[in-house]
């Protein structure tokens, strides 16, 4: 079983809340987060970084629920955003703009304006054209854009190819060999202020050697910059620390902090981190109910009421999430099940080849869904997105209502009525 859930008299609890009861009251599918686990994750990272001048900027894309952003903000966290929408989300919880960075390869004019007008801490620049574009917009507005250059260090993060970002073949960042030239150019622009250097090599990284290699390249670049009289204030080392989904062993955060000290410590600059998964991944579960089961000669299927539109990671990356039966956890008549959704695609699965005992109406918990779960969900097959709930001790609150059919069609309905 997971560390997150506990079991008492055949009932499963998240913190002190009975999950079967939440399912009855709220319905399924629903995402449920543990506040306690989020606080623990944040404290663990902060403690590991003790002694390093740092700023944690939670990666909003991993989970952008306003209540969760608010919680991080109260903890003192800043935010890593990648779109105008995410910038507006952090505005709506009154985040400290001095702690907001804006990443992403294709920022458009409207998005840049949102960042500029709110005076965010930094734009992470991904191309020469973007640098010139931001300078022009800032000039028109009579404002100055704070920037870092995102360097592509050509380091293999040894993760799923879709979420590896630090190799030459990936669209991200500016080639390490061109970075110095672009920094010099940035220094010459009227409405640009150079604040830092940035790199993010990928996500779900379990080999910390990759961080070490990337940070060393950043260190070399900082030395080269200084020899050109370009001085930076911060080093943004991105996110990417992996979590254990299937009992993978992950090096400790102490080790991660030691890598930072060894490679970048000598510069005495503020370290910005952009963790997402590490802070929220293990704090969330997806509750779902078995609708039907059926067998053929090869295997059995449990058709549940959540699907790839609710949790896309298994379909998209063949990602593994542990699945626990909260109703029949003790019986040992086990069969080989695929846990699948109702969507009309064979790729719609949440777990494959799981040896379990599953029956109609059983309540299941899909674990480690706090990051890139709800935030990647969609309305495919006109399925309303799930409710989101936050548990805190023995009480829980809805932090996002389940979507209704009316929410899904309202932008179309208004067009229909025009005709
Ligand atoms: N900073 C930047 C610039 C990023 O692109 C990302 C994630 C992060 C920080 C946060 O990375 P984390 O600490 O969460 O690994 N949907 C995928 C993950 C995509 C990650 C994209 N970038 C998944 O479900 O595994």
């Amino acid at each position: 079983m997971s560390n997150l859930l506990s079991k008492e008299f055949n009932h499963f609890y998240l913190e002190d809340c009975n999950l079967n009861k939440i399912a009855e009251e709220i319905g399924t599918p629903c995402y449920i987060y543990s506040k306690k686990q989020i606080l623990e994750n944040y404290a663990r990272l902060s403690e590991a970084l003790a002694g390093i001048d740092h700023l944690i900027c939670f990666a909003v894309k991993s989970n952008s629920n306003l209540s969760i952003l608010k919680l991080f903000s109260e903890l003192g966290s800043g935010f890593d955003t990648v779109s105008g929408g995410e910038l507006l989300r952090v505005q709506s919880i009154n985040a400290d703009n001095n702690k907001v960075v804006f990443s992403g390869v294709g920022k458009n004019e409207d998005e840049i304006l949102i960042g500029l007008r709110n005076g965010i801490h930094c734009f992470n620049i991904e191309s020469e054209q973007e640098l010139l574009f931001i300078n022009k917009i800032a000039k028109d507005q009579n404002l100055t854009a704070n920037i870092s250059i995102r360097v592509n260090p050509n380091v293999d993060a040894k993760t799923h190819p879709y979420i590896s970002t630090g190799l030459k073949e990936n669209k991200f960042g500016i080639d390490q060999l061109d970075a110095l030239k672009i920094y010099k150019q940035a220094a010459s622009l009227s409405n640009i202020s150079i604040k830092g250097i940035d790199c993010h090599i990928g996500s779900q990284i379990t080999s910390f050697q990759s961080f070490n290699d990337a940070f060393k390249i950043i260190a070399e670049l900082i030395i080269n910059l200084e020899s050109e009289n370009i001085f930076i204030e911060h080093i943004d080392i991105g996110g990417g620390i992996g979590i254990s989904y299937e009992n993978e062993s992950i090096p400790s955060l102490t080790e991660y902090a030691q890598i930072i000290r060894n490679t970048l410590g000598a510069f005495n600059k503020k370290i910005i981190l952009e963790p997402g998964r590490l802070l929220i991944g293990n704090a969330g579960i997806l509750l779902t109910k078995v609708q039907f089961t059926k067998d053929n000669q090869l295997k059995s299927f449990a058709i549940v009421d959540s699907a790839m539109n609710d949790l896309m990671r298994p379909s998209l990356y063949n990602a593994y999430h542990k699945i626990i039966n909260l109703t029949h956890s003790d019986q040992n008549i086990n069969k080989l099940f695929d846990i699948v959704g109702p969507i009309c695609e064979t790729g719609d699965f949440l777990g494959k080849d799981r040896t379990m005992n599953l029956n109609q109406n059983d309540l299941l918990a899909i674990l480690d869904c706090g990051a890139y779960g709800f935030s990647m969900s969609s309305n495919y097959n006109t399925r309303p997105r799930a409710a989101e709930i936050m548990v805190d001790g023995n009480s829980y609150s809805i932090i996002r209502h389940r979507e209704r059919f009316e929410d899904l069609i309202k932008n179309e309905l208004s067009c229909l009525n025009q005709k």
Side-chain angles (χ1 to χ4, degrees):
M1 211 183 32
S2 86
N3 297 330
L4 192 63
L5 306 189
S6 59
K7 192 178 173 199
E8 245 176 73
F9 303 116
N10 259 347
H11 284 286
F12 280 87
Y13 287 80
L14 180 57
E15 297 193 24
D16 298 322
C17 286
N18 180 332
L19 289 172
N20 302 71
K21 194 160 159 264
I22 296 182
E24 261 167 45
E25 290 172 2
I26 304 294
T28 52
C30 63
Y31 276 93
I32 311 187
Y33 308 102
S34 159
K35 180 172 176 184
K36 183 167 164 240
Q37 187 65 55
I38 297 173
L39 299 182
E40 260 179 48
N41 292 345
Y42 193 85
R44 213 162 55 86
L45 180 59
S46 304
E47 278 157 25
L49 296 169
I52 299 175
D53 179 17
H54 71 274
L55 172 66
I56 296 173
C57 288
F58 174 64
V60 175
K61 65 160 78 78
S62 63
N63 190 317
S64 52
N65 185 288
L66 295 183
S67 299
I68 285 175
L69 300 183
K70 190 154 167 276
L71 179 59
F72 278 116
S73 184
E74 285 162 3
L75 291 172
S77 179
F79 297 99
D80 167 48
T81 61
V82 289
S83 69
E86 288 190 356
L87 277 172
L88 291 173
R89 274 186 182 270
V90 299
Q91 298 311 311
S92 71
I93 56 134
N94 289 321
D96 180 351
N97 277 308
N98 212 11
K99 294 182 179 173
V100 174
V101 299
F102 187 8
S103 309
V105 280
K107 306 172 190 75
N108 69 30
E109 184 168 358
D110 291 344
E111 295 176 319
I112 292 165
L113 279 171
I114 298 171
L116 276 174
R117 289 182 180 147
N118 287 295
I120 60 166
H121 184 66
C122 195
F123 289 87
N124 291 335
I125 302 287
E126 302 236 7
S127 64
E128 182 182 0
Q129 288 184 7
E130 184 194 5
L131 175 69
L132 297 174
F133 190 49
I134 293 185
N135 181 55
K136 181 181 171 299
I137 298 171
K139 200 168 183 180
D140 292 345
Q141 298 289 316
N142 212 9
L143 292 168
T144 298
N146 298 327
I147 65 114
S148 279
I149 288 187
R150 176 169 177 180
V151 176
N152 182 324
N154 195 28
V155 164
D156 187 353
K158 300 196 170 67
T159 182
H160 190 285
Y162 288 8
I163 54 175
S164 166
T165 56
L167 285 169
K168 268 193 203 313
E169 65 207 59
N170 306 134
K171 67 181 174 182
F172 296 96
I174 288 177
D175 194 299
Q176 48 158 325
L177 302 174
D178 297 330
L180 191 59
K181 186 184 91 196
I182 310 279
Y183 264 108
K184 284 195 211 162
Q185 193 177 1
S188 73
L189 294 173
S190 58
N191 292 66
I192 293 290
S193 167
I194 295 172
K195 289 287 173 205
I197 191 163
D198 169 44
C199 103
H200 169 80
I201 56 170
S203 193
Q204 184 52 17
I205 296 171
T206 54
S207 151
F208 284 10
Q209 183 61 38
S210 308
F211 287 125
N212 192 67
D213 297 347
F215 299 170
K216 271 189 174 159
I217 288 170
I218 296 297
E220 276 169 34
L221 254 166
I222 298 173
I223 293 169
N224 292 342
L225 286 176
E226 289 183 349
S227 70
E228 297 284 342
N229 279 330
I230 297 174
F231 296 97
I232 56 165
E233 292 166 21
H234 75 244
I235 308 168
D236 182 338
I237 56 174
I241 301 170
I243 63 168
S244 177
Y245 286 100
E246 197 183 357
N247 310 324
E248 304 93 320
S249 77
I250 316 277
S252 72
L253 291 179
T254 319
E255 230 168 284
Y256 181 72
Q258 200 49 46
I259 290 173
I260 299 175
R261 284 192 196 93
N262 292 347
T263 53
L264 303 170
F267 297 109
N268 274 326
K269 302 204 186 292
K270 185 181 276 297
I271 302 292
I272 294 184
L273 304 97
E274 303 172 352
R277 192 186 318 262
L278 176 77
L279 297 180
I280 190 76
N282 68 351
I285 62 171
L286 175 60
L287 268 195
T288 187
K289 205 168 201 176
V290 178
Q291 292 254 77
F292 309 113
T293 61
K294 63 179 180 183
D295 310 310
N296 64 25
Q297 280 155 350
L298 190 67
K299 58 166 75 175
S300 302
F301 295 93
I303 300 128
V304 296
D305 63 2
S306 61
M308 66 190 282
N309 76 297
D310 299 299
L311 179 66
M312 210 181 173
R313 304 193 70 256
S315 301
L316 192 57
Y317 315 113
N318 215 5
Y320 180 95
H321 286 262
K322 284 184 185 158
I323 302 179
I324 298 181
N325 187 341
L326 306 185
T327 309
H328 286 103
S329 55
D330 289 336
Q331 295 182 29
N332 44 19
I333 333 148
N334 285 320
K335 289 196 286 197
L336 202 60
F337 273 99
D338 279 4
I339 292 101
V340 301
I343 285 183
C344 307
E345 292 201 26
T346 299
D348 177 28
F349 61 89
L350 299 162
K352 281 204 153 172
D353 295 325
R354 304 294 174 93
T355 308
M356 294 180 80
N357 169 26
L358 298 176
N359 305 280
Q360 189 170 24
N361 294 326
D362 283 357
L363 184 66
L364 311 185
I366 306 180
L367 303 186
D368 304 312
C369 290
Y372 308 106
F374 186 91
S375 66
M376 291 176 77
S377 66
S378 78
N379 294 122
Y380 187 38
N381 278 207
T382 306
R383 290 172 51 84
R385 278 176 297 173
E388 289 180 284
I389 286 151
M390 176 94 82
V391 160
D392 181 12
N394 59 8
S395 69
Y396 72 86
S397 49
I398 298 178
I399 57 170
R400 192 180 207 274
H401 292 285
R402 185 180 305 289
E403 273 176 342
R404 297 159 311 159
F405 174 65
E406 298 79 62
D407 299 324
L408 269 55
I409 59 159
K410 65 173 188 284
N411 291 336
E412 297 158 51
L413 208 54
S414 51
C415 301
L416 256 191
N417 293 341
Q418 277 168 19
K419 288 182 190 154

